[in-house]
């Protein structure tokens, strides 16, 4: 079977860990697209998806740590990863710049996620061959 | 141009019938996550479609072979996105 | 490339619709063609006379009234849903027009996004 | 003993009909948050009930006077919990 | 005081059911009478042969099998929903019994909780 | 109209801010029950409700800060408030004890919320006259 030429993908995650399967489905898909010879342009966290970027998640030892699995995958594959800043601030996910700006006691964004605006998503719609949305369960 | 529709909502979710009504003749439907329950949901007739094996197995539906439903893995889902320029997530 | 942003949830119960609207406004801000569709329960975003201060929320009606000014091409409402929620198209705020949601309808757009 | 049923789900949510089927003759139903949409939802006949005014006003339904539906405030909701020993949240 | 904990969502899509189960087990641990009801889509928790490792989740079947051992009085399944999801009561794992969900059914319990 | 004698209430919040109206409906109800002469025994955050206890939430200046409003209310009324520890840890809400125990870089639980187990909820079912659940939207 002739496979198509390499495509580029952006994955948007708008469902949170536990409250949805979005982080799990998206990670399995991300790995499969790379094995399929395609490029993962970026991962964009929006809405409740930003909870995936919390560095303080501490699941029980017999449960998976989605934040950690994603961090490892993003760093291994050198994939840019963005948490939408408006979604993140409202939900209590901050980087050190925002921590300073708003005089908050701590920051909690996991490596290698960066904060950015919806402009990054708009750009993705124009530059990636495919853009998929991993949504909340309900 | 055929569209690939990927739905993750349970069949009793209001978005499920909305998705089915949006399917054109040449479109492709994939059930992932809770949507795989449509394989055994009496109240909603299912058109030919694909279902994600990992979600089917978790929910213990692998024995529920339904005519017109093909099981795929995540690699198969990637292939479907290769062959469809338009993807709609529901 | 013309994008369709779909809102199919009720206003005020959650933030999905507002975040979908932000996506629409961002596309418009970058001069990307975008249309808003209110489908199913989402048609209730177009009901006039929303007063949400007692919920400590801003009325979504106000957010929407800026839509076409900011460059959203059109606001469309799911005809069948309007009937289901006892809304007539002349009642609708924001000069939204009703539309039938056939498969062909969606094919008009290069990308369709719903949260 | 009458039960107070408080539902916050939209009328197209699968839990809404389940709630209506659980109502006994002497029970009381209160619609809060998205549930107030039931005041104008054709597909689901509504029994006599209460609706939370703040949620009705936000969604612009105050003109939709429906026979058998009484508007209450949060204080009225508290009074209903005083007079019902059993409360079920849906 | 006998509490009914209701699960009416599908397994694996979210954590609500697991958190409802934790509530049931906590009541049982404190010797408080508790019954579990699987209603609507929730009846699918009782389907035998669940294999969730590919989702990196533990099978809820295993969680449930401990229920009566830990003191949950009974596991009940919504009869109408079993039909709707093509499950027959002899298929059910966990020796759950089917029940009709009439208003009188719920009145048996002092408290009813659903998440 | 004869009002009933003072009742005691426990409010359980299992919906998150923004993703649901639970924090808003619960706060309005809490204020009304106190005005009605009743006692608020405790507030218990469970499941996604624990996100209400994040000290790092930073909404835009024209939006309400539910965490702050709840903190002020709980402290003014001296109402005990608990975030279920299992729900909180998995979702990245930690107090300093858990921060230390799990060697995490920060803690982010808002005053006056404390971590505790479901035992507190079980006790509430036995001691409060009424227990209400403010649930997710879906």
């Amino acid at each position: 079977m002739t496979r198509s030429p390499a495509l580029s993908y952006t994955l948007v995650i708008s469902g949170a860990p536990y409250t949805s399967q979005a982080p799990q489905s998206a990670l399995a898909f991300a790995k499969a697209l790379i094995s399929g010879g395609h490029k993962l342009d970026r991962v964009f966290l929006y809405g409740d998806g930003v909870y995936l970027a919390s560095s303080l998640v501490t699941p029980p030892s017999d449960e998976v740590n989605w934040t950690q699995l994603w961090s490892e995958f993003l760093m291994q594959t050198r994939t840019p990863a963005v948490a939408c800043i408006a979604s993140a601030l409202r939900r209590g996910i901050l980087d050190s710049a925002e921590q300073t700006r708003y005089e908050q006691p701590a920051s909690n964004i996991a490596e290698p996620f960066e904060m950015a605006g919806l402009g990054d998503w708009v750009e993705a719609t124009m530059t990636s061959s495919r853009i998929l949305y991993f949504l909340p369960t309900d | 141009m055929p569209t690939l529709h990927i739905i993750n909502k349970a069949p009793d979710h209001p978005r499920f019938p909305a998705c089915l009504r949006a399917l054109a003749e040449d479109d492709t439907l994939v059930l992932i996550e809770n949507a795989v329950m449509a394989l055994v949901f009496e109240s909603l007739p299912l058109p030919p479609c694909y279902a994600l094996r990992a979600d089917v197995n978790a929910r213990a539906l692998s024995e529920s072979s339904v005519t017109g439903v093909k099981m795929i893995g995540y690699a198969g889902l990637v292939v479907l996105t290769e062959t469809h320029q338009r993807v709609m997530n529901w | 490339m013309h994008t369709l942003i779909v809102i199919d949830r009720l206003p005020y119960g959650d933030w999905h619709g507002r975040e979908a609207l932000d996506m629409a406004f961002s596309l418009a801000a970058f001069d990307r063609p975008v249309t808003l569709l209110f489908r199913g329960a989402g048609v209730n975003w177009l009901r006039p006379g929303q007063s949400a201060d007692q919920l400590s929320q801003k009325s979504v009606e106000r957010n929407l009234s800026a839509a076409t000014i900011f460059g959203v091409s059109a606001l469309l409402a799911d005809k069948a849903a309007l009937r289901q929620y006892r809304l007539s198209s002349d009642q609708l705020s924001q000069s939204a027009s009703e539309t039938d949601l056939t498969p062909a309808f969606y094919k008009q757009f290069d990308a369709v996004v719903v949260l």
Side-chain angles (χ1 to χ4, degrees), chain A, chain B, chain C:
Chain A
M1 183 185 86
T2 324
R3 291 292 290 274
S4 81
L7 297 169
S8 59
Y9 289 74
T10 287
L11 304 185
V12 177
I13 298 175
S14 70
Y18 298 105
T19 318
S20 79
Q21 277 184 256
Q24 177 264 314
S25 295
L27 186 56
F29 185 85
K31 291 179 172 177
L33 78 88
I34 284 172
S35 300
H38 302 293
K39 180 172 193 299
L40 179 54
D41 277 347
R42 72 178 64 62
V43 173
F44 188 84
L45 307 185
Y46 193 52
D48 287 350
V50 301
Y51 288 124
L52 180 58
S54 167
S55 62
L56 302 179
V57 302
T58 315
S61 52
D62 60 349
E63 273 174 34
V64 155
N65 184 328
W66 288 108
T67 304
Q68 197 172 342
L69 287 186
W70 264 104
S71 289
E72 287 166 4
F73 172 78
L74 292 165
M75 293 193 289
Q76 263 166 35
T77 55
R78 294 205 193 96
T79 304
V82 168
C84 174
I85 188 170
S87 298
L89 287 179
R90 193 178 265 130
R91 290 169 179 76
I93 308 294
L94 307 179
D95 64 8
S96 20
E98 303 308 313
Q99 172 194 353
T100 304
R101 190 195 322 274
Y102 293 102
E103 292 168 2
Q104 289 283 34
S107 66
N108 59 347
I109 193 167
E111 290 258 59
F113 290 97
E114 312 251 327
M115 303 279 213
L118 270 171
D120 270 40
W121 167 74
V122 173
E123 194 195 327
T125 64
M126 302 193 287
T127 56
S128 294
S129 317
R130 302 289 187 271
I131 174 163
L132 265 72
Y133 298 80
F134 290 88
L135 303 173
T137 288
D138 286 305
Chain B
M1 196 201 296
T3 304
L4 177 67
H5 300 260
I6 303 172
I7 184 165
N8 79 330
K9 304 296 184 286
D12 62 354
H13 189 283
R15 208 179 268 178
F16 207 107
C19 170
L20 295 185
R21 283 193 295 266
L23 298 178
E25 276 286 332
D26 58 342
D27 287 352
T28 306
L29 175 65
V30 185
L31 312 177
I32 70 168
E33 300 179 10
N34 279 349
V36 302
M37 229 55 220
L39 266 56
V40 290
F41 190 61
E42 288 260 308
S43 328
L44 212 59
L46 203 55
C49 62
Y50 294 89
L52 197 57
R53 196 179 287 112
D55 288 307
V56 166
N57 290 345
R59 294 160 182 75
L61 299 177
S62 30
E63 302 310 308
S64 313
S65 53
V66 177
T67 319
V69 179
K70 296 201 197 83
M71 300 292 148
I72 53 168
Y74 293 98
L77 183 55
V78 172
V79 172
L80 287 173
T81 65
E82 289 169 15
T83 56
H84 293 74
Q85 265 186 272
R86 298 164 46 101
V87 183
M88 278 172 66
N89 293 273
W90 293 79
Chain C
M1 192 192 81
H2 202 131
T3 304
L4 180 71
I5 301 282
V6 184
I7 291 177
D8 65 358
R9 300 172 189 269
L10 293 173
Y12 305 111
D14 55 56
W15 230 246
H16 292 114
R18 293 181 195 265
E19 283 170 330
L21 217 56
D22 284 348
M23 285 180 139
F25 285 5
S26 295
L27 285 166
F30 283 84
D31 286 312
R32 310 295 301 162
V34 57
T35 294
L36 266 170
L37 167 68
F38 297 90
R39 175 180 73 204
V43 295
N44 293 289
W45 279 65
L46 300 166
R47 220 172 256 283
Q50 297 171 29
S51 179
D53 345 313
Q54 286 182 284
L55 303 187
S56 305
Q57 287 191 44
K58 284 183 300 195
S59 152
V60 304
E61 211 174 346
R62 218 166 299 146
N63 293 36
L64 279 186
S65 59
T68 42
I69 297 164
F70 282 123
V72 173
S73 310
L75 277 71
L76 303 174
D78 170 358
K79 195 166 165 184
L82 291 174
R83 307 285 163 271
Q84 205 183 26
Y85 288 93
R86 298 194 206 131
L87 264 171
S88 64
S89 45
D90 48 294
Q91 273 181 282
L92 303 182
S93 58
Q94 330 298 348
S95 44
S97 16
E98 41 172 79
T99 185
D100 284 304
L101 297 184
T102 59
F105 166 82
Y106 291 102
K107 298 276 194 192
Q108 298 174 83
F109 303 93
D110 305 283
V112 180
V113 181
V114 67
L115 296 180

